[in-house]
Amino acid sequence: MSNPRIAFIGAGNMAASLIGGLRAQGVAADAIRASDPGIEQRAKISAEHGIRTFADNGEAIAGADVVVLAVKPQVMQAVCQDLRQHLDHAPLVVSIAAGITCDSLQRWLGPQPQAIVRCMPNTPALLRQGVSGLFANAQVSAEQKLQAETLLSAVGMALWLDEEHLIDAVTAVSGSGPAYFFLLIEAMTAAGERLGLPRETAAQLTLQTALGAARMACESDVDAAELRRRVTSPNGTTEAAIKAFQAGGFEQLVQQALNAAAYRSAELAEQLGK
Ligand SMILES: NC(=O)c1ccc[n+]([C@@H]2O[C@H](COP(=O)([O-])OP(=O)(O)OC[C@H]3O[C@@H](n4cnc5c(N)ncnc54)[C@H](OP(=O)(O)O)[C@@H]3O)[C@@H](O)[C@H]2O)c1
C-alpha cells in the first residue's frame, strides 16, 4: 500500500505539524482526514492543509489505513472507547500521547488485537526538527512499521525501540530534552549579562553558539567528546570553564535529572493507564 489513508483524531498542534509535514512531502490532501470537537480547530486545519475534517471521530476513521491518536493523554481512554466500534477494518493505530502504553490502548480499543505503534515525539516537531522514539507491538506488520516511520519522519527523525519501557528513557533524553537546552541558554545568557554584556548581545551570542555547536555535532564524523577535546586547549579558557562544570558534578547532575524524568514518565504511564 503505497499511499495509506491517514486519519488524525485531534487536530491540535502536533496533528497540524504532522499534517503539514506530510503535505510538504507530497502526500495528497484527500489521503488525510482529521477530527476535532473544536469548530475553529477544524476550520483552521482544513484551510491550512486542504483536508476534510469531521466533528465525529468514528466518521473520520472510516476506511483509514492509519489512525493517529493526537489527543491529550487525559482524554485518550474516552476517545479509544468511542473508537472501538469503528475498528473492524483493522487500521494501524499510532499514538503520540505521552505516557499511554500499548497495553492501555489495546485494553481501551477493544477485545480484538490491534496493531499499535506508540511514539514519543518532541516539541521541535512543530518546526519539523523533532526526533521521535517509536515502539511497535507484535501485531504491527513490516509495511505498517514503514507507514508509522514515514509519518513521524515528516516532522524530524524517527528511531525504533526494541522494548516499550525504553520510551521512558526517550522521554528523559529527547521528550523533555528541549527544556534542558532552554535552561542552559537561560543560564548562559544570564551569566554573560553578569560579565558585562548587554542582555540582547548575551542572548544572541548564546543562541548562535547553541545552534552552531548543534550543527557541528550533527554534521561532524567524530563524537561530541572529541569535538570538545579539539576546542579545549591545555590551560586555556575552555578548559577553565569545563573544570568548573566538572568540579560542580555536572555529569552526575545530568544523570540525576534524566533519571528523575524517566522515573516520572513511568509513574505517569502507570497513573494514566488505570
Ligand atoms: N506538543 C508537543 O510537542 C508534544 C510532544 C510529544 C507528545 N505530544 C503529545 O501529542 C498529543 C497532542 O498534543 P498537542 O500539543 O497537539 O495537543 P493539543 O494542541 O491540545 O491538541 C489536541 C486536540 O485534540 C482535541 N480533542 C480533545 N478531545 C477530543 C476528542 N474527544 N476527540 C478528538 N479530538 C479531541 C483538542 O480539542 P480541545 O482543545 O477543544 O480540547 C485539541 O484540538 C498529546 O497526547 C501529547 O502528549 C505532544
Side-chain angles (χ1 to χ4, degrees), residues 9-15 35-37 41 57 70-73 75 79 96-98 120-123:
I9 305 300
N13 293 316
M14 272 311 240
S35 60
D36 196 287
Q41 287 292 83
N57 294 340
V71 295
K72 293 281 188 209
V75 298
V79 165
I96 59 167
M120 184 62 212
N122 66 357
T123 318

Side-chain angles (χ1 to χ4, degrees), residues 11 41 51 55-56 58 71 106 149 158 163 167 170 177 207-208 224 267:
Q41 287 292 83
I51 62 162
D56 183 83
V71 295
Q106 173 62 64
E149 190 175 318
E163 293 169 62
I167 290 268
V170 170
L207 288 173
Q208 188 55 36
E267 205 172 50

Side-chain angles (χ1 to χ4, degrees), residues 12-22 24 49 96 119-133 151-158 174-175 178 182:
N13 293 316
M14 272 311 240
S17 306
L18 285 162
I19 293 167
L22 291 169
H49 302 295
I96 59 167
C119 312
M120 184 62 212
N122 66 357
T123 318
L126 304 176
L127 309 175
R128 293 181 210 155
Q129 292 292 326
V131 61
S132 310
L151 173 74
L152 271 298
S153 299
V155 290
M157 191 183 283
S174 56
F182 299 150

